[in-house]
Amino acid sequence: MFGYYIDLAMRSLRRNKALTTLMVLAIALGIGASMTTLTVLHVLSGDPLPGRSGTLYYPQIDPRDNSGLMPGKEPPLQLTEIDGFNLLRAKRADRQALMTGGSVPIQPDSAAIDPFYVEARYTTADFFAMFGAPFRYGGGWDAADDEAKARDVVINSGLNERLFGGANSVGHTLHMAGSLFRIVGVLDHWAPSPHFYDLYTGSYGYTEQVFLPLQTALDMHLAHNGSNDCWGNGTGGVGSIYPSSSCVWMQFWVQLDTPAKAADYKQFLIHYSEQQKALGRFVRAPNVRLRNLMQWLAYWQVVPDDVRLQAGLAFGFLLVCLVNTVGLMLAKFLRRAGELSVRRALGASRRALFAQLLVESGVVGLVGGVGGLLLALLGLWVVRHRPSDYAALARLDPAMLLTTFLLALVASLLAGLLPAWRACQVAPALQLKSN
Amino acid sequence: MSIQIRPILVALRRHKAGTLLIALQIALTLAIVCNALFIIHQRLANMSQASGVDEADVFVITNRWANSDQTTSQIDAQVRADLLALRQLPAVRDATPGSGYPLKGGGWDNYVMLTPEQVQPTTDAAVYTGDEHFIDTLGLKLVAGRNFRPDEVMVMGTQQAITPPSVIVSKALADRLFPGGHALGKSFYSMGPVPTTIVGIVDTLQRQGVDRYAQSHAGQSLIWPLRADDARGIYYIVRAKPGQLAAAMREAPKALLAQNRMRIIDPKDGVQDYATIHHKVYDNDRGMAILMGIICVVLLAITAAGIVGLTSFWVGQRRKQIGVRRALGARQRDILTYFLTENFLISAAGVALGTVLAIVFNLWTVTRFSMAPISMAYVGVGVLVLLLLGQGAVLAPALRASRVSPVEATRGG
């Protein structure tokens, strides 16, 4: 039966090519536009560390004075140096890492290569294990190296390629910021997106090329990249590094394996704030947050407004295309009242007619879906060639591919529902007589 | 000639579904198109803001130090030598050091307060640093007061925060802080307990960023007499002599490297002219405007095609009735008017609903993306466009209908 319906659909669609083309084109344009924007939205709001993100948390506390230079009830988005190290050394979580961003100059051994700057992350030992960063060679450093301000460095695969042609460089030295560092590990390709652990350095398409112990970086007064917010007498501080208790510029992540541990950790943060207030360092009442990774991204509103606006508009666009298709299908089906009446008179049930018409709109939907897919691929190609920082991420994955077809099919079946129902209501006797 | 509205309405009642669909499509199209037009207008307005910079002749060198262990005084000596070398180039008119530059796409900005104990900041200003050559190098227009004196220029080391006693502000900031034009000689506070006194006012000086936060403080900038001797690097802003931009951009990096090789000037974007800077910073705005333009055109085309399709069907369905009317004495013009009027009635209902939808959609963007409320002028333009579009789309099928011969009345079918 289904095959027969398909055959009928194809005949009918061929009969009025202009109308069919218009319907297919409208669905294709609507699907193409919404799938392009939806895919961009999907990749931008994706989980940077699937499987791990549920147990990673970002503690926030409020060390500010009452001057109100940083208005708002929410605690600051980063930690001061003192609080960061206090929380790190408390070791109350399963894993914890304190970090900040920077950039350092590298002087290659070969005189043929000019010195160049690389993006750096200054962090502590647990960073790699906690975030599941994969190593190609070697590994990270340990907590003792942190305290010893060891001149150890982990480099990423890109830098390893550039300097050592991709060979195992563990044990080699790297001349960096005027000091000799020992390479202890080489990362495999690793670029979590969004760059969740420090969104100030750019949310998408940002990767560090070197990772070195935070205390080493502080000891060497290496340059800081990212945001710092200060209050009170925090500004006007002289020296090459920020005041340690009145400027926030560090990020701190913890791994808490169970919800109970997370609840305990939140209590610990409140307790810590009370303790600091008793000591006279904190002025405000305890004001803490413990968001997990995805909550943190949502709170930060990491997806650009323009992208969300575009998605909203594209769905409005799809809606117009659908309404358009409903109208055209209605015209098409009603025009065939005579033919349908003959089928009814010959014994086809209303249900059979309804199914036949839905098959016809389903065919339009499928063809429109294929067209929409091509348009979405074109749209994503255009997005990739735009200079935005998320350009490289705009690719269709299998899940979105399936969504495209489902959307097209559901959309066109919905569009066919009303016209098919209306067309089935024709009274065969009346139609046959008038013809 | 009386337009027969009643018979049209009676006829439309027999095509409820089709009528509603066309009206709905027109309503949705109107809602999207006038919001898209509004977004286009806003983005174009952003892009056409004057930066205040002599963009034809100015370029920026991003100079990073290769040896990060220099002391501030070593860096300062190098910066002074670099500036001297740059200013001596034949194609160069002037040069200044800087910690940022207009339209950089983000950078240093400070809260500004009128009293030191104030809890809520008065406003926010983009902070520029430079020496006594800053104003001439950027081609800014000094509208009141004076330029910095060479002895006022202070040295600012890495990540050091200094509040110099004198400041030059943009007119926008001066008017925001001291409405009434009495800003000259007044003082304010900016992230510190030390006041800074306005010695000069420049006409237009756009901020470093162009995002929404910057737009809400548009044009509010201050210049401090500082040489930002940061261990990481420095920007040299250079103004070429008229017509010698290309030559100056070629010579300048060479002159710097001849001074000292321990620096990194990226071969790709280490030296950028203002055309490039301007183009880059507004990329998002331009992309959004183009996208909205495409959406408008495609939507209008689809809606027009839909109207043509459905009206053609109606004409085909009513050939016999049209023939009867013609046989009873209706002129071709009457038939044409009938279909045009019918479309106008449907479109009018559509745009009425569409106006409501447009405002709802705009409210969504206002609450979700804190955009500006839409001006009614855009809705008005949208309404006009859609009414005309409807009439245009219905014209071809209506003409075909008007040519139906009275003989059709006698035919069966």
Side-chain angles (χ1 to χ4, degrees):
Chain A
M1 219 47 191
F2 190 70
Y4 176 56
Y5 290 163
I6 297 265
D7 182 47
L8 282 181
M10 296 315 289
R11 278 168 195 276
S12 147
L13 292 174
R14 264 199 300 268
R15 207 172 307 144
N16 195 334
K17 290 209 179 68
L19 206 61
T20 307
T21 313
L22 189 56
M23 287 193 290
V24 167
L25 204 63
I27 292 214
L29 282 169
I31 297 287
S34 34
M35 286 319 292
T36 305
T37 56
L38 201 64
T39 302
V40 172
L41 197 65
H42 170 76
V43 295
L44 294 195
S45 48
D47 186 340
L49 292 183
R52 279 180 188 270
S53 56
T55 55
L56 295 177
Y57 292 83
Y58 189 77
Q60 288 171 269
I61 53 176
D62 200 339
R64 294 172 294 183
D65 61 14
N66 280 324
S67 70
L69 282 181
M70 291 168 61
K73 294 194 185 85
E74 283 284 334
L77 299 167
Q78 304 182 94
L79 293 184
T80 63
E81 188 183 330
I82 285 190
D83 293 320
F85 276 104
N86 284 346
L87 294 182
L88 179 75
R89 286 174 179 146
K91 287 203 188 330
R92 290 299 187 95
D94 294 309
R95 282 181 177 132
Q96 48 251 305
L98 182 65
M99 65 196 79
T100 196
S103 55
V104 290
I106 289 184
Q107 290 103 23
D109 292 335
S110 149
I113 311 177
D114 280 336
F116 56 92
Y117 266 84
V118 292
E119 306 298 329
R121 176 116 314 238
Y122 314 139
T123 185
T124 55
D126 280 355
F127 179 93
F128 304 100
M130 183 165 73
F131 291 154
F135 278 94
R136 183 174 296 168
Y137 306 115
W141 59 86
D142 59 32
D145 296 323
D146 274 327
E147 294 302 328
K149 304 179 174 67
R151 301 293 195 254
D152 284 347
V153 62
V154 168
I155 65 177
N156 81 341
S157 54
L159 187 65
N160 190 50
E161 197 67 43
R162 181 168 177 183
L163 292 177
F164 302 99
N168 185 350
S169 59
V170 170
H172 284 67
T173 54
L174 191 61
H175 199 78
M176 196 163 69
S179 251
L180 278 180
F181 281 72
R182 190 170 62 97
I183 297 175
V184 295
V186 178
L187 285 183
D188 220 331
H189 176 75
W190 188 63
S193 189
H195 188 258
F196 66 95
Y197 50 82
D198 181 1
L199 292 160
Y200 280 115
T201 48
S203 309
Y204 300 99
Y206 177 92
T207 44
E208 292 90 356
Q209 287 149 289
V210 298
F211 301 78
L212 51 127
L214 177 63
Q215 303 204 51
T216 308
L218 292 179
D219 188 46
M220 291 176 67
H221 291 191
L222 293 183
H224 167 244
N225 275 1
S227 165
N228 70 309
D229 277 307
C230 301
W231 58 88
N233 291 325
T235 51
V238 179
S240 61
I241 218 74
Y242 310 109
S244 59
S245 67
S246 58
C247 283
V248 291
W249 57 292
M250 290 198 176
Q251 304 91 39
F252 183 59
W253 284 88
V254 295
Q255 180 181 334
L256 301 164
D257 290 335
T258 63
K261 284 184 180 171
D264 286 348
Y265 201 85
K266 193 159 186 183
Q267 279 308 313
F268 162 65
L269 291 177
I270 294 172
H271 181 71
Y272 174 79
S273 301
E274 279 164 351
Q275 188 192 14
Q276 292 295 315
K277 199 177 174 193
L279 287 172
R281 257 199 72 225
F282 284 15
V283 184
R284 301 185 180 199
N287 181 18
V288 308
R289 298 286 184 280
L290 187 65
R291 295 184 165 95
N292 72 23
L293 201 163
M294 293 314 280
Q295 289 166 338
W296 171 245
L297 291 181
Y299 171 64
W300 188 283
Q301 298 198 333
V302 66
V303 178
D305 274 357
D306 275 2
V307 170
R308 289 188 291 156
L309 184 61
Q310 282 163 6
L313 277 168
F315 274 91
F317 186 91
L318 178 62
L319 197 61
V320 174
C321 293
L322 276 189
V323 172
N324 185 64
T325 308
V326 176
L328 295 178
M329 270 204 212
L330 188 69
K332 194 164 169 49
F333 290 172
L334 287 182
R335 183 178 281 186
R336 289 180 19 221
E339 173 204 319
L340 294 174
S341 304
V342 172
R343 288 206 59 215
R344 282 280 282 137
L346 290 179
S349 65
R350 277 221 168 116
R351 219 152 121 193
L353 284 196
F354 192 68
Q356 179 205 334
L357 294 177
L358 276 192
V359 166
E360 189 170 329
S361 51
V363 169
V364 170
L366 273 183
V367 180
V370 173
L373 183 68
L374 294 177
L375 285 176
L377 289 175
L378 178 73
L380 289 171
W381 180 83
V382 172
V383 173
R384 277 200 297 280
H385 286 78
R386 304 255 323 126
S388 56
D389 52 1
Y390 55 79
L393 301 171
R395 287 179 191 283
L396 209 60
D397 58 17
M400 293 312 276
L401 194 74
L402 196 66
T403 315
T404 310
F405 277 106
L406 281 181
L407 189 67
L409 205 60
V410 169
S412 60
L413 285 181
L414 273 181
L417 222 49
L418 171 83
W421 180 78
R422 284 275 288 123
C424 292
Q425 299 305 307
V426 292
L430 200 68
Q431 279 291 333
L432 289 174
K433 212 170 108 201
S434 75
N435 279 326
Chain B
M1 183 194 78
S2 69
I3 297 174
Q4 337 85 317
I5 289 183
R6 259 186 64 84
I8 296 179
L9 289 177
V10 172
L12 281 182
R13 218 173 296 155
R14 289 179 55 87
H15 303 278
K16 276 197 212 83
T19 309
L20 282 177
L21 286 172
I22 294 193
L24 187 62
Q25 190 175 356
I26 288 177
L28 286 169
T29 306
L30 175 68
I32 294 178
V33 165
C34 53
N35 275 287
L37 284 178
F38 183 58
I39 293 172
I40 293 178
H41 168 84
Q42 281 181 323
R43 302 299 165 113
L44 291 182
N46 279 358
M47 289 163 66
S48 61
Q49 275 169 11
S51 62
V53 179
D54 169 26
E55 295 192 15
D57 299 320
V58 178
F59 63 98
V60 177
I61 304 171
T62 305
N63 176 89
R64 307 185 80 172
W65 305 118
N67 40 348
S68 60
D69 46 0
Q70 298 184 94
T71 64
T72 300
S73 57
Q74 281 172 327
I75 298 169
D76 194 55
Q78 185 62 58
V79 168
R80 282 159 174 270
D82 286 351
L83 286 167
L84 210 62
L86 286 173
R87 286 170 193 149
Q88 277 168 355
L89 289 175
V92 167
R93 168 172 163 166
D94 213 343
T96 180
S99 54
Y101 50 89
L103 305 186
K104 177 171 174 273
W108 186 4
D109 63 328
N110 268 6
Y111 286 133
V112 173
M113 277 138 297
L114 291 171
T115 58
E117 60 276 359
Q118 201 171 319
V119 170
Q120 285 298 321
T122 308
T123 188
D124 181 281
V127 178
Y128 294 108
T129 64
D131 61 11
E132 72 278 12
H133 294 267
F134 188 87
I135 290 184
D136 181 60
T137 303
L138 271 77
L140 305 177
K141 215 169 106 206
L142 194 66
V143 291
R146 60 168 178 84
N147 190 4
F148 296 127
R149 291 186 306 265
D151 61 289
E152 274 176 316
V153 179
M154 301 161 74
V155 167
M156 182 174 69
T158 307
Q159 286 164 2
Q160 198 181 345
I162 295 180
T163 306
S166 50
V167 63
I168 293 178
V169 299
S170 70
K171 196 166 176 309
L173 182 61
D175 291 344
R176 174 71 185 77
L177 290 176
F178 306 100
H182 311 296
L184 205 61
K186 298 264 172 47
S187 299
F188 61 85
Y189 297 82
S190 182
M191 310 291 286
V194 189
T196 185
T197 305
I198 300 175
V199 299
I201 300 175
V202 291
D203 192 15
T204 305
L205 176 55
Q206 192 49 260
R207 297 172 61 108
Q208 315 192 42
V210 296
D211 56 1
R212 197 175 304 120
Y213 180 77
Q215 291 299 343
S216 60
H217 301 91
Q220 297 185 7
S221 321
L222 64 84
I223 311 160
W224 270 331
L226 293 169
R227 255 194 313 277
D229 296 326
D230 194 296
R232 292 168 290 182
I234 193 165
Y235 296 105
Y236 291 122
I237 308 174
V238 186
R239 186 180 188 184
K241 288 179 180 152
Q244 301 191 43
L245 182 70
M249 285 176 71
R250 249 191 337 267
E251 290 167 18
K254 282 185 204 153
L256 291 178
L257 285 168
Q259 273 289 314
N260 182 347
R261 287 208 69 82
M262 288 305 281
R263 66 178 91 231
I264 300 167
I265 299 172
D266 194 287
K268 197 165 87 243
D269 51 10
V271 185
Q272 294 185 94
D273 59 12
Y274 249 90
T276 312
I277 293 168
H278 196 121
H279 190 87
K280 249 192 208 167
V281 80
Y282 287 115
D283 239 338
N284 273 338
D285 283 338
R286 190 174 28 254
M288 194 75 174
I290 294 174
L291 188 68
M292 293 298 120
I294 295 175
I295 283 191
C296 280
V297 171
V298 173
L299 259 190
L300 291 175
I302 285 185
T303 301
I307 294 175
V308 172
L310 216 52
T311 318
S312 301
F313 166 67
W314 282 343
V315 169
Q317 211 182 26
R318 300 182 201 164
R319 286 184 80 84
K320 192 172 171 192
Q321 287 90 327
I322 297 168
V324 172
R325 277 200 67 195
R326 292 279 284 121
L328 289 177
R331 290 159 301 174
Q332 289 204 354
R333 225 177 57 203
D334 296 329
I335 306 294
L336 186 65
T337 323
Y338 177 90
F339 280 101
L340 289 178
T341 314
E342 182 187 70
N343 174 267
F344 183 80
L345 289 178
I346 298 174
S347 302
V351 294
L353 177 65
T355 307
V356 179
L357 288 182
I359 292 168
V360 170
F361 188 88
N362 177 247
L363 284 179
W364 176 68
T365 64
V366 170
T367 50
R368 279 296 291 274
F369 309 114
S370 49
M371 282 178 39
I374 193 166
S375 123
M376 277 301 129
Y378 289 92
V379 183
V381 170
V383 165
L384 206 65
V385 167
L386 274 162
L387 288 180
L388 286 176
L389 183 84
Q391 296 286 294
V394 89
L395 200 60
L399 278 173
R400 216 174 314 128
S402 70
R403 283 191 222 106
V404 169
S405 144
V407 180
E408 296 263 351
T410 63
R411 288 196 190 138

